[in-house]
Coordinates of all heavy atoms in Angstrom, one line a residue:
M1 N 0.8 -1.2 0.0 CA 0.0 0.0 0.0 C 0.9 1.2 0.0 O 1.9 1.3 0.7 CB -0.9 0.0 1.2 CG -1.9 1.1 1.3 SD -3.1 0.8 2.6 CE -4.3 2.0 2.1
N2 N 0.5 2.2 -0.7 CA 1.2 3.5 -0.8 C 1.1 4.3 0.5 O 0.1 4.4 1.1 CB 0.7 4.3 -2.0 CG 1.5 5.5 -2.3 OD1 2.4 5.9 -1.6 ND2 1.2 6.0 -3.5
Q3 N 2.3 4.8 1.0 CA 2.3 5.5 2.2 C 1.5 6.8 2.2 O 0.8 7.1 3.2 CB 3.8 5.9 2.5 CG 3.9 6.7 3.8 CD 5.3 7.2 4.1 OE1 6.2 6.9 3.3 NE2 5.5 7.9 5.1
F4 N 1.4 7.4 1.1 CA 0.6 8.7 1.0 C -0.9 8.4 1.1 O -1.6 9.2 1.6 CB 0.9 9.4 -0.4 CG 2.4 9.8 -0.5 CD1 3.2 9.1 -1.3 CD2 2.9 10.8 0.3 CE1 4.5 9.5 -1.4 CE2 4.2 11.2 0.2 CZ 5.0 10.5 -0.6
N5 N -1.4 7.3 0.6 CA -2.8 7.0 0.6 C -3.3 6.7 2.0 O -4.4 7.1 2.3 CB -3.1 5.9 -0.4 CG -3.0 6.3 -1.8 OD1 -3.1 7.5 -2.1 ND2 -2.8 5.3 -2.7
K6 N -2.6 6.0 2.8 CA -3.1 5.7 4.1 C -3.1 6.8 5.1 O -3.8 6.8 6.1 CB -2.3 4.5 4.7 CG -0.8 4.8 5.1 CD -0.2 3.6 5.7 CE 1.3 4.0 6.1 NZ 2.0 2.8 6.6
D7 N -2.4 7.9 4.8 CA -2.4 9.0 5.7 C -3.5 10.0 5.4 O -3.8 10.9 6.2 CB -1.0 9.8 5.6 CG 0.1 8.9 6.2 OD1 -0.2 8.0 7.0 OD2 1.3 9.2 5.8
I8 N -4.2 9.9 4.3 CA -5.3 10.8 4.0 C -6.5 10.3 4.6 O -7.0 9.2 4.5 CB -5.4 10.9 2.4 CG1 -4.2 11.4 1.8 CG2 -6.6 11.7 2.1 CD1 -4.2 11.4 0.3
T9 N -7.2 11.3 5.4 CA -8.4 11.0 6.1 C -9.6 11.4 5.2 O -9.4 12.1 4.2 CB -8.5 11.7 7.4 OG1 -8.5 13.1 7.1 CG2 -7.3 11.4 8.3
L10 N -10.8 10.9 5.6 CA -12.0 11.3 4.9 C -12.2 12.8 5.0 O -12.6 13.5 4.0 CB -13.2 10.6 5.5 CG -14.5 10.9 4.9 CD1 -14.5 10.6 3.4 CD2 -15.6 10.1 5.6
N11 N -11.8 13.4 6.1 CA -12.0 14.9 6.3 C -11.1 15.6 5.3 O -11.5 16.6 4.7 CB -11.5 15.3 7.7 CG -12.6 16.0 8.5 OD1 -13.7 16.0 8.1 ND2 -12.2 16.7 9.5
E12 N -9.9 15.1 5.0 CA -9.0 15.7 4.1 C -9.5 15.6 2.6 O -9.4 16.5 1.8 CB -7.6 15.1 4.2 CG -6.6 15.7 3.2 CD -6.3 17.2 3.4 OE1 -6.7 17.8 4.4 OE2 -5.7 17.8 2.4
V13 N -10.1 14.4 2.3 CA -10.7 14.2 1.0 C -11.8 15.2 0.8 O -11.9 15.9 -0.3 CB -11.1 12.8 0.8 CG1 -12.0 12.6 -0.4 CG2 -10.0 11.8 0.8
L14 N -12.7 15.4 1.8 CA -13.8 16.3 1.7 C -13.3 17.8 1.6 O -13.8 18.5 0.8 CB -14.7 16.2 2.9 CG -15.5 14.9 2.9 CD1 -16.3 14.7 4.2 CD2 -16.5 14.8 1.7
R15 N -12.3 18.1 2.4 CA -11.7 19.5 2.3 C -11.2 19.8 0.9 O -11.4 20.8 0.4 CB -10.6 19.6 3.4 CG -10.1 21.0 3.5 CD -8.7 21.1 4.1 NE -7.7 20.5 3.3 CZ -7.2 21.1 2.2 NH1 -7.6 22.2 1.8 NH2 -6.2 20.5 1.6
R16 N -10.4 18.9 0.4 CA -9.8 19.1 -1.0 C -10.9 19.2 -2.0 O -10.8 20.0 -2.9 CB -8.9 17.9 -1.3 CG -7.6 17.9 -0.6 CD -6.8 16.7 -1.0 NE -5.6 16.6 -0.2 CZ -4.7 15.7 -0.4 NH1 -4.8 14.7 -1.3 NH2 -3.6 15.6 0.4
Q17 N -12.0 18.4 -1.9 CA -13.1 18.4 -2.9 C -13.8 19.8 -2.8 O -14.2 20.3 -3.8 CB -14.0 17.2 -2.7 CG -15.0 17.1 -3.9 CD -14.4 17.0 -5.2 OE1 -13.4 16.2 -5.4 NE2 -14.9 17.7 -6.2
I18 N -14.0 20.2 -1.6 CA -14.7 21.5 -1.4 C -13.9 22.6 -2.0 O -14.4 23.5 -2.6 CB -15.0 21.7 0.1 CG1 -16.1 20.8 0.6 CG2 -15.4 23.2 0.4 CD1 -16.2 20.7 2.1
E19 N -12.6 22.6 -1.7 CA -11.7 23.6 -2.3 C -11.7 23.6 -3.8 O -11.8 24.7 -4.4 CB -10.3 23.3 -1.8 CG -9.2 24.4 -2.1 CD -7.9 24.1 -1.4 OE1 -7.7 24.5 -0.3 OE2 -7.1 23.4 -2.0
V20 N -11.6 22.5 -4.4 CA -11.6 22.4 -5.9 C -13.0 22.9 -6.4 O -13.0 23.7 -7.3 CB -11.3 21.0 -6.4 CG1 -11.6 20.8 -7.9 CG2 -9.9 20.6 -6.1
T21 N -14.1 22.4 -5.8 CA -15.4 22.8 -6.3 C -15.7 24.3 -6.1 O -16.2 25.0 -7.0 CB -16.5 22.0 -5.5 OG1 -16.2 20.6 -5.7 CG2 -17.8 22.3 -6.0
A22 N -15.3 24.9 -5.0 CA -15.5 26.3 -4.7 C -14.7 27.1 -5.7 O -15.2 28.1 -6.2 CB -15.1 26.6 -3.3
N23 N -13.4 26.8 -6.0 CA -12.6 27.5 -7.0 C -13.2 27.4 -8.4 O -13.2 28.4 -9.1 CB -11.2 27.1 -6.9 CG -10.5 27.7 -5.7 OD1 -10.5 28.8 -5.4 ND2 -9.7 26.8 -5.0
Q24 N -13.7 26.3 -8.7 CA -14.4 26.2 -10.0 C -15.7 27.0 -10.1 O -15.9 27.7 -11.1 CB -14.7 24.7 -10.3 CG -13.5 23.9 -10.7 CD -13.9 22.4 -10.8 OE1 -15.0 21.9 -10.4 NE2 -13.0 21.6 -11.4
F25 N -16.4 27.0 -9.0 CA -17.6 27.8 -8.9 C -17.3 29.3 -9.1 O -18.0 30.0 -9.8 CB -18.3 27.6 -7.6 CG -19.6 28.4 -7.4 CD1 -20.8 28.0 -8.0 CD2 -19.5 29.6 -6.7 CE1 -21.9 28.8 -7.8 CE2 -20.6 30.4 -6.5 CZ -21.8 30.0 -7.1
L26 N -16.3 29.8 -8.4 CA -15.9 31.2 -8.6 C -15.5 31.5 -10.0 O -15.9 32.6 -10.5 CB -14.7 31.5 -7.6 CG -15.1 31.5 -6.1 CD1 -13.8 31.5 -5.3 CD2 -16.0 32.6 -5.8
Q27 N -14.8 30.7 -10.7 CA -14.4 30.9 -12.1 C -15.6 31.0 -13.0 O -15.8 31.8 -13.8 CB -13.4 29.9 -12.6 CG -12.0 30.0 -11.9 CD -11.3 31.3 -12.2 OE1 -11.5 31.9 -13.3 NE2 -10.6 31.8 -11.3
N28 N -16.5 30.0 -12.7 CA -17.8 30.0 -13.5 C -18.7 31.2 -13.2 O -19.3 31.7 -14.1 CB -18.5 28.7 -13.3 CG -17.8 27.5 -13.8 OD1 -17.0 27.6 -14.7 ND2 -18.1 26.3 -13.2
E29 N -18.7 31.6 -12.0 CA -19.5 32.8 -11.7 C -19.0 34.0 -12.4 O -19.7 34.9 -12.9 CB -19.5 33.0 -10.1 CG -20.5 34.0 -9.6 CD -20.5 34.1 -8.1 OE1 -19.6 33.6 -7.5 OE2 -21.5 34.7 -7.6
L30 N -17.6 34.2 -12.4 CA -17.1 35.4 -13.1 C -17.4 35.3 -14.6 O -17.7 36.3 -15.2 CB -15.6 35.4 -12.9 CG -14.9 36.6 -13.6 CD1 -15.4 38.0 -13.2 CD2 -13.4 36.5 -13.5
T31 N -17.3 34.1 -15.2 CA -17.6 33.9 -16.6 C -19.1 34.3 -16.9 O -19.4 35.0 -17.9 CB -17.4 32.4 -17.0 OG1 -16.0 32.1 -16.9 CG2 -17.9 32.2 -18.4
A32 N -20.0 34.0 -15.9 CA -21.4 34.4 -16.1 C -21.5 35.9 -16.0 O -22.3 36.5 -16.8 CB -22.3 33.7 -15.0
V33 N -20.8 36.6 -15.1 CA -20.9 38.0 -15.0 C -20.3 38.7 -16.2 O -20.9 39.7 -16.7 CB -20.1 38.5 -13.7 CG1 -19.9 40.0 -13.7 CG2 -20.8 38.0 -12.5
L34 N -19.2 38.2 -16.8 CA -18.6 38.8 -17.9 C -19.3 38.5 -19.2 O -19.3 39.3 -20.2 CB -17.1 38.4 -18.0 CG -16.2 38.8 -16.9 CD1 -14.8 38.3 -17.1 CD2 -16.2 40.4 -16.8
G35 N -19.9 37.3 -19.3 CA -20.6 37.0 -20.5 C -19.8 36.3 -21.6 O -20.3 36.1 -22.7
Y36 N -18.6 35.9 -21.3 CA -17.7 35.2 -22.2 C -16.8 34.3 -21.4 O -16.4 34.6 -20.3 CB -17.0 36.2 -23.1 CG -16.0 37.1 -22.5 CD1 -14.7 36.8 -22.2 CD2 -16.5 38.4 -22.0 CE1 -13.9 37.6 -21.6 CE2 -15.6 39.2 -21.4 CZ -14.3 38.9 -21.2 OH -13.5 39.7 -20.5
K37 N -16.3 33.3 -22.1 CA -15.4 32.3 -21.5 C -14.0 32.8 -21.5 O -13.6 33.7 -22.2 CB -15.5 31.0 -22.2 CG -16.8 30.3 -22.1 CD -16.8 29.0 -22.9 CE -18.2 28.4 -22.7 NZ -18.3 27.0 -23.2
P38 N -13.1 32.2 -20.6 CA -11.7 32.6 -20.5 C -11.0 32.4 -21.9 O -11.4 31.5 -22.6 CB -11.1 31.7 -19.5 CG -12.2 31.2 -18.7 CD -13.4 31.2 -19.6
H39 N -10.1 33.2 -22.2 CA -9.3 33.1 -23.4 C -10.0 33.5 -24.7 O -9.6 33.2 -25.8 CB -8.6 31.8 -23.6 CG -7.9 31.3 -22.3 ND1 -6.8 32.0 -21.8 CD2 -8.2 30.3 -21.4 CE1 -6.4 31.4 -20.7 NE2 -7.2 30.4 -20.5
T40 N -11.2 34.1 -24.5 CA -12.0 34.5 -25.7 C -11.5 35.9 -26.1 O -11.3 36.8 -25.2 CB -13.5 34.6 -25.3 OG1 -13.9 33.3 -24.9 CG2 -14.3 35.0 -26.5
R41 N -11.3 36.1 -27.4 CA -10.9 37.4 -27.9 C -12.1 38.4 -27.8 O -13.2 38.1 -28.2 CB -10.4 37.4 -29.3 CG -9.2 36.6 -29.5 CD -8.1 37.6 -29.4 NE -6.8 36.9 -29.7 CZ -5.7 37.4 -29.4 NH1 -5.6 38.5 -28.7 NH2 -4.5 36.8 -29.7
I42 N -11.9 39.6 -27.2 CA -12.9 40.6 -27.1 C -12.4 41.9 -27.6 O -11.2 42.1 -27.6 CB -13.5 40.7 -25.6 CG1 -12.3 41.1 -24.7 CG2 -14.2 39.5 -25.2 CD1 -12.8 41.5 -23.3
D43 N -13.3 42.8 -28.0 CA -12.9 44.1 -28.4 C -12.7 45.0 -27.2 O -13.7 45.4 -26.6 CB -14.0 44.6 -29.4 CG -13.6 46.0 -29.9 OD1 -12.4 46.4 -29.8 OD2 -14.5 46.7 -30.5
R44 N -11.5 45.3 -26.9 CA -11.3 46.2 -25.7 C -11.3 47.6 -26.0 O -10.9 48.5 -25.1 CB -9.9 45.8 -25.0 CG -10.0 44.4 -24.5 CD -8.7 44.1 -23.8 NE -8.7 42.7 -23.2 CZ -7.7 42.2 -22.5 NH1 -6.7 42.9 -22.3 NH2 -7.9 41.0 -22.1
S45 N -11.6 48.0 -27.2 CA -11.6 49.4 -27.6 C -12.7 50.2 -27.0 O -12.7 51.4 -26.9 CB -11.6 49.6 -29.1 OG -12.8 49.1 -29.6
K46 N -13.8 49.5 -26.6 CA -15.0 50.2 -26.0 C -14.7 50.4 -24.5 O -14.0 49.6 -23.8 CB -16.2 49.3 -26.1 CG -16.5 49.0 -27.6 CD -17.7 48.0 -27.6 CE -17.9 47.6 -29.1 NZ -18.9 46.6 -29.2
D47 N -15.2 51.5 -24.0 CA -14.9 51.9 -22.6 C -15.7 51.0 -21.6 O -15.2 50.8 -20.4 CB -15.3 53.3 -22.3 CG -14.4 54.3 -23.0 OD1 -13.2 53.9 -23.2 OD2 -14.8 55.4 -23.3
D48 N -16.8 50.4 -21.9 CA -17.6 49.7 -21.0 C -17.4 48.2 -21.0 O -18.1 47.4 -20.4 CB -19.1 49.9 -21.2 CG -19.6 49.4 -22.6 OD1 -18.7 49.2 -23.5 OD2 -20.8 49.3 -22.8
V49 N -16.3 47.7 -21.7 CA -16.0 46.3 -21.8 C -15.3 45.9 -20.5 O -14.3 46.6 -20.1 CB -15.1 46.0 -23.0 CG1 -14.6 44.6 -23.0 CG2 -15.8 46.3 -24.3
N50 N -15.8 44.9 -19.9 CA -15.2 44.4 -18.7 C -14.4 43.1 -19.0 O -14.9 42.3 -19.8 CB -16.3 44.1 -17.6 CG -15.8 44.0 -16.2 OD1 -14.6 44.1 -16.0 ND2 -16.7 43.7 -15.3
Y51 N -13.3 42.9 -18.3 CA -12.6 41.7 -18.6 C -11.8 41.3 -17.3 O -11.7 42.0 -16.4 CB -11.6 41.8 -19.8 CG -10.7 43.0 -19.8 CD1 -9.4 43.0 -19.3 CD2 -11.2 44.3 -20.2 CE1 -8.6 44.1 -19.2 CE2 -10.4 45.4 -20.2 CZ -9.1 45.3 -19.7 OH -8.3 46.4 -19.7
R52 N -11.3 40.1 -17.4 CA -10.6 39.5 -16.2 C -9.4 40.3 -15.9 O -8.7 40.8 -16.7 CB -10.2 38.0 -16.6 CG -11.3 37.1 -16.6 CD -11.0 35.7 -17.2 NE -12.0 34.8 -16.9 CZ -13.2 34.8 -17.6 NH1 -13.4 35.6 -18.6 NH2 -14.1 33.9 -17.3
N53 N -9.1 40.4 -14.5 CA -8.0 41.2 -14.1 C -7.3 40.5 -12.9 O -7.1 41.0 -11.9 CB -8.5 42.5 -13.6 CG -7.4 43.5 -13.3 OD1 -6.4 43.5 -14.0 ND2 -7.7 44.5 -12.4
G54 N -6.9 39.2 -13.1 CA -6.1 38.5 -12.1 C -6.9 37.9 -11.0 O -8.1 37.8 -11.1
T55 N -6.2 37.5 -10.0 CA -6.9 36.9 -8.8 C -6.2 37.3 -7.5 O -5.1 37.9 -7.6 CB -6.8 35.3 -8.9 OG1 -5.4 35.0 -9.0 CG2 -7.5 34.8 -10.2
Y56 N -6.8 37.0 -6.4 CA -6.2 37.1 -5.1 C -6.6 35.9 -4.3 O -7.6 35.2 -4.6 CB -6.5 38.4 -4.4 CG -8.0 38.6 -4.1 CD1 -8.4 38.3 -2.8 CD2 -8.9 39.1 -5.0 CE1 -9.8 38.4 -2.4 CE2 -10.3 39.2 -4.6 CZ -10.7 38.9 -3.4 OH -12.0 39.1 -3.0
T57 N -5.9 35.6 -3.3 CA -6.2 34.4 -2.5 C -6.8 34.7 -1.2 O -6.5 35.8 -0.6 CB -4.9 33.6 -2.3 OG1 -4.0 34.4 -1.6 CG2 -4.3 33.0 -3.5
R58 N -7.7 33.8 -0.7 CA -8.3 33.9 0.6 C -8.3 32.6 1.2 O -8.4 31.6 0.6 CB -9.8 34.4 0.5 CG -9.9 35.8 0.2 CD -11.4 36.2 0.2 NE -12.1 36.0 1.4 CZ -13.4 36.1 1.5 NH1 -14.2 36.4 0.4 NH2 -14.0 35.8 2.6
T59 N -8.2 32.5 2.5 CA -8.3 31.3 3.3 C -9.6 31.3 4.1 O -9.8 32.3 4.9 CB -7.1 31.1 4.2 OG1 -5.9 31.1 3.4 CG2 -7.2 29.8 4.9
I60 N -10.4 30.3 4.0 CA -11.7 30.2 4.7 C -11.6 29.0 5.6 O -11.2 27.9 5.2 CB -12.9 30.1 3.8 CG1 -12.9 31.2 2.8 CG2 -14.2 30.0 4.6 CD1 -13.3 32.6 3.3
D61 N -11.9 29.2 6.9 CA -11.9 28.1 7.9 C -13.3 27.4 7.8 O -14.3 28.1 8.0 CB -11.6 28.6 9.3 CG -11.4 27.5 10.2 OD1 -11.0 26.4 9.8 OD2 -11.6 27.7 11.5
T62 N -13.3 26.1 7.5 CA -14.6 25.4 7.5 C -14.5 24.2 8.5 O -13.5 24.0 9.1 CB -14.8 24.7 6.1 OG1 -13.8 23.7 5.9 CG2 -14.7 25.8 5.0
E63 N -15.6 23.5 8.6 CA -15.6 22.4 9.6 C -14.7 21.3 9.2 O -14.3 20.4 10.0 CB -17.0 21.9 9.8 CG -17.7 21.3 8.6 CD -19.1 20.9 8.8 OE1 -19.3 19.8 9.4 OE2 -20.0 21.7 8.4
Y64 N -14.3 21.3 7.9 CA -13.4 20.2 7.4 C -11.9 20.7 7.4 O -11.0 19.9 7.0 CB -13.8 19.8 6.0 CG -15.2 19.3 6.0 CD1 -16.2 20.0 5.4 CD2 -15.5 18.0 6.5 CE1 -17.5 19.5 5.4 CE2 -16.8 17.5 6.5 CZ -17.8 18.3 6.0 OH -19.0 17.8 6.0
G65 N -11.7 21.9 7.7 CA -10.3 22.5 7.7 C -10.3 23.7 6.8 O -11.3 24.2 6.3
E66 N -9.1 24.3 6.7 CA -8.9 25.5 5.9 C -8.9 25.2 4.4 O -8.3 24.3 4.0 CB -7.6 26.2 6.3 CG -7.7 26.9 7.7 CD -6.4 27.7 7.9 OE1 -5.4 27.6 7.2 OE2 -6.4 28.4 8.9
I67 N -9.7 26.0 3.7 CA -9.6 25.9 2.2 C -9.0 27.2 1.7 O -9.3 28.3 2.2 CB -11.0 25.6 1.6 CG1 -12.0 26.7 1.9 CG2 -11.6 24.3 2.0 CD1 -13.3 26.6 1.2
N68 N -8.2 27.0 0.6 CA -7.6 28.2 0.0 C -8.4 28.5 -1.3 O -8.5 27.6 -2.2 CB -6.2 27.8 -0.4 CG -5.3 27.6 0.9 OD1 -5.4 28.4 1.8 ND2 -4.7 26.4 0.9
L69 N -8.9 29.7 -1.4 CA -9.7 30.1 -2.5 C -8.8 31.1 -3.4 O -8.1 31.9 -2.9 CB -10.9 30.8 -2.1 CG -11.9 30.0 -1.2 CD1 -13.0 30.9 -0.7 CD2 -12.4 28.8 -2.0
T70 N -9.0 30.9 -4.7 CA -8.4 31.9 -5.6 C -9.6 32.7 -6.2 O -10.4 32.2 -7.0 CB -7.7 31.1 -6.7 OG1 -6.7 30.3 -6.1 CG2 -7.0 32.1 -7.7
I71 N -9.8 33.9 -5.7 CA -10.9 34.8 -6.0 C -10.5 35.5 -7.3 O -9.5 36.3 -7.3 CB -11.2 35.7 -4.9 CG1 -11.4 35.0 -3.6 CG2 -12.5 36.6 -5.3 CD1 -12.5 34.1 -3.4
P72 N -11.3 35.4 -8.4 CA -11.0 36.2 -9.6 C -11.4 37.6 -9.5 O -12.3 37.9 -8.7 CB -11.8 35.4 -10.7 CG -12.9 34.8 -9.9 CD -12.4 34.5 -8.6
R73 N -10.8 38.5 -10.2 CA -11.1 39.9 -10.3 C -11.5 40.3 -11.7 O -11.1 39.7 -12.7 CB -10.0 40.8 -9.9 CG -9.6 40.7 -8.5 CD -8.5 41.7 -8.2 NE -7.3 41.1 -7.8 CZ -6.3 41.6 -7.2 NH1 -6.4 42.9 -6.9 NH2 -5.2 41.0 -6.9
D74 N -12.3 41.3 -11.8 CA -12.6 41.9 -13.1 C -12.2 43.4 -13.1 O -12.0 44.0 -12.1 CB -14.1 41.7 -13.5 CG -15.0 42.5 -12.5 OD1 -14.8 42.4 -11.3 OD2 -15.9 43.2 -13.0
R75 N -12.0 43.9 -14.3 CA -11.4 45.2 -14.4 C -12.3 46.3 -13.9 O -11.9 47.3 -13.2 CB -11.1 45.5 -15.9 CG -10.5 46.9 -16.2 CD -9.2 47.1 -15.5 NE -8.2 46.4 -16.2 CZ -6.9 46.5 -15.9 NH1 -6.5 47.2 -14.9 NH2 -6.0 45.8 -16.6
L76 N -13.6 46.2 -14.1 CA -14.6 47.2 -13.6 C -15.1 47.0 -12.2 O -16.0 47.7 -11.7 CB -15.7 47.3 -14.6 CG -15.4 47.7 -16.0 CD1 -16.6 47.8 -16.9 CD2 -14.6 49.1 -16.0
N77 N -14.6 45.9 -11.5 CA -15.0 45.6 -10.2 C -16.5 45.3 -10.0 O -17.1 45.7 -9.0 CB -14.5 46.7 -9.2 CG -14.4 46.2 -7.8 OD1 -14.3 45.0 -7.5 ND2 -14.5 47.1 -6.8
K78 N -17.1 44.7 -11.0 CA -18.5 44.3 -10.9 C -18.7 43.0 -10.3 O -19.8 42.6 -9.9 CB -19.2 44.4 -12.3 CG -19.3 45.8 -12.8 CD -20.0 45.8 -14.1 CE -20.1 47.2 -14.6 NZ -20.9 47.3 -15.9
F79 N -17.7 42.2 -10.2 CA -17.8 40.8 -9.7 C -17.8 40.8 -8.2 O -16.8 41.2 -7.6 CB -16.7 39.9 -10.3 CG -16.7 38.5 -9.7 CD1 -17.7 37.6 -10.0 CD2 -15.7 38.1 -8.9 CE1 -17.7 36.4 -9.5 CE2 -15.7 36.8 -8.4 CZ -16.7 35.9 -8.7
Q80 N -18.9 40.3 -7.6 CA -19.0 40.1 -6.2 C -19.4 38.7 -6.0 O -20.6 38.4 -6.3 CB -19.9 41.1 -5.5 CG -19.5 42.5 -5.7 CD -18.3 42.9 -4.9 OE1 -18.0 42.3 -3.9 NE2 -17.4 43.7 -5.5
N81 N -18.6 37.8 -5.5 CA -19.0 36.4 -5.4 C -20.1 36.2 -4.4 O -20.1 36.8 -3.4 CB -17.8 35.5 -5.2 CG -17.3 35.5 -3.8 OD1 -17.9 34.9 -2.9 ND2 -16.2 36.2 -3.5
A82 N -21.0 35.3 -4.7 CA -22.2 35.0 -3.9 C -21.9 34.0 -2.8 O -22.6 33.9 -1.8 CB -23.3 34.6 -4.7
L83 N -20.8 33.2 -3.0 CA -20.5 32.1 -2.1 C -19.9 32.5 -0.8 O -20.2 32.1 0.3 CB -19.7 31.1 -2.9 CG -19.6 29.7 -2.3 CD1 -20.9 29.1 -2.2 CD2 -18.7 28.9 -3.2
F84 N -18.9 33.5 -0.9 CA -18.1 33.9 0.3 C -18.2 35.4 0.3 O -17.4 36.1 -0.4 CB -16.7 33.4 0.2 CG -16.6 31.9 0.1 CD1 -16.4 31.3 -1.1 CD2 -16.8 31.1 1.2 CE1 -16.3 29.9 -1.2 CE2 -16.7 29.8 1.2 CZ -16.5 29.1 0.0
P85 N -19.0 36.0 1.2 CA -19.0 37.5 1.3 C -17.6 38.1 1.7 O -16.8 37.3 2.3 CB -20.0 37.7 2.5 CG -20.8 36.4 2.6 CD -19.9 35.3 2.1
P86 N -17.4 39.3 1.4 CA -16.1 39.9 1.8 C -15.9 39.9 3.3 O -16.8 40.0 4.1 CB -16.3 41.4 1.3 CG -17.4 41.4 0.4 CD -18.3 40.2 0.7
Y87 N -14.6 39.7 3.7 CA -14.2 39.8 5.1 C -14.6 38.6 5.9 O -14.2 38.5 7.1 CB -14.6 41.1 5.8 CG -14.2 42.3 5.0 CD1 -15.1 43.1 4.4 CD2 -12.8 42.6 4.8 CE1 -14.8 44.2 3.6 CE2 -12.5 43.7 4.1 CZ -13.5 44.5 3.5 OH -13.1 45.6 2.8
V88 N -15.3 37.6 5.4 CA -15.7 36.4 6.1 C -14.5 35.5 6.1 O -14.0 35.2 5.0 CB -16.9 35.8 5.5 CG1 -17.2 34.4 6.2 CG2 -18.1 36.7 5.7
R89 N -14.1 35.0 7.2 CA -13.0 34.1 7.3 C -13.4 32.7 7.8 O -12.5 31.8 7.9 CB -11.9 34.6 8.2 CG -11.3 35.9 7.7 CD -10.5 35.7 6.5 NE -9.9 37.0 6.0 CZ -10.0 37.4 4.7 NH1 -10.6 36.6 3.9 NH2 -9.5 38.5 4.4
R90 N -14.6 32.5 8.2 CA -15.1 31.3 8.8 C -16.5 31.0 8.3 O -17.3 31.9 8.2 CB -15.0 31.4 10.3 CG -15.4 30.1 11.0 CD -15.2 30.2 12.5 NE -13.7 30.3 12.8 CZ -13.1 31.2 13.5 NH1 -13.8 32.2 14.0 NH2 -11.8 31.2 13.6
T91 N -16.8 29.7 8.0 CA -18.1 29.4 7.6 C -18.6 28.2 8.4 O -17.8 27.3 8.8 CB -18.2 29.1 6.1 OG1 -19.5 28.8 5.8 CG2 -17.3 27.9 5.7
D92 N -19.9 28.1 8.7 CA -20.4 27.0 9.5 C -20.8 25.8 8.6 O -21.0 24.7 9.1 CB -21.6 27.5 10.3 CG -21.2 28.5 11.3 OD1 -20.1 28.4 11.8 OD2 -22.0 29.4 11.7
G93 N -21.1 26.1 7.3 CA -21.7 25.0 6.4 C -20.7 24.6 5.4 O -19.7 25.0 5.2

């Protein structure tokens, strides 16, 4: 048996899955706000065109352990994620 597999607990598996799912949700949410998928060519000559503008990281404490989130940003600051409100560092669910 592989040494790495026996040390992983069910809690760690759930924590990792929550982390991956939450980060995918955040990317999909930004895509919905912008109206186009990543790596799509857009006309940036218009003033009201919004586009991706990097990411920042946040750590949220959950009942399964800390999850690291990569929160995407947009140029016009219209993206406000619905899953994790600003300044929240702990969640019960």
Side-chain angles (χ1 to χ4, degrees):
M1 183 170 197
N2 191 345
Q3 177 185 358
F4 296 109
N5 290 338
K6 69 180 181 182
D7 293 337
I8 297 176
T9 64
L10 181 59
N11 239 17
E12 179 62 15
V13 170
L14 289 172
R15 187 200 65 76
R16 288 180 186 179
Q17 189 59 43
I18 290 168
E19 187 174 270
V20 167
T21 303
N23 282 312
Q24 287 174 345
F25 177 82
L26 291 168
Q27 291 298 325
N28 291 339
E29 191 177 15
L30 179 62
T31 297
V33 168
L34 296 178
Y36 61 89
K37 294 182 180 185
H39 311 293
T40 302
R41 292 268 187 202
I42 58 169
D43 181 12
R44 294 185 180 182
S45 64
K46 300 175 186 171
D47 290 335
D48 63 342
V49 173
N50 197 2
Y51 51 95
R52 287 169 170 76
N53 191 30
T55 60
Y56 65 96
T57 58
R58 282 181 61 189
T59 300
I60 305 288
D61 189 24
T62 69
E63 63 184 281
Y64 301 105
E66 289 186 346
I67 60 171
N68 298 308
L69 299 175
T70 303
I71 310 292
R73 291 189 244 199
D74 64 311
R75 181 61 77 178
L76 299 179
N77 201 24
K78 292 184 178 182
F79 175 67
Q80 299 294 323
N81 76 77
L83 198 56
F84 302 100
Y87 307 110
V88 171
R89 299 289 180 230
R90 183 171 292 125
T91 181
D92 295 330

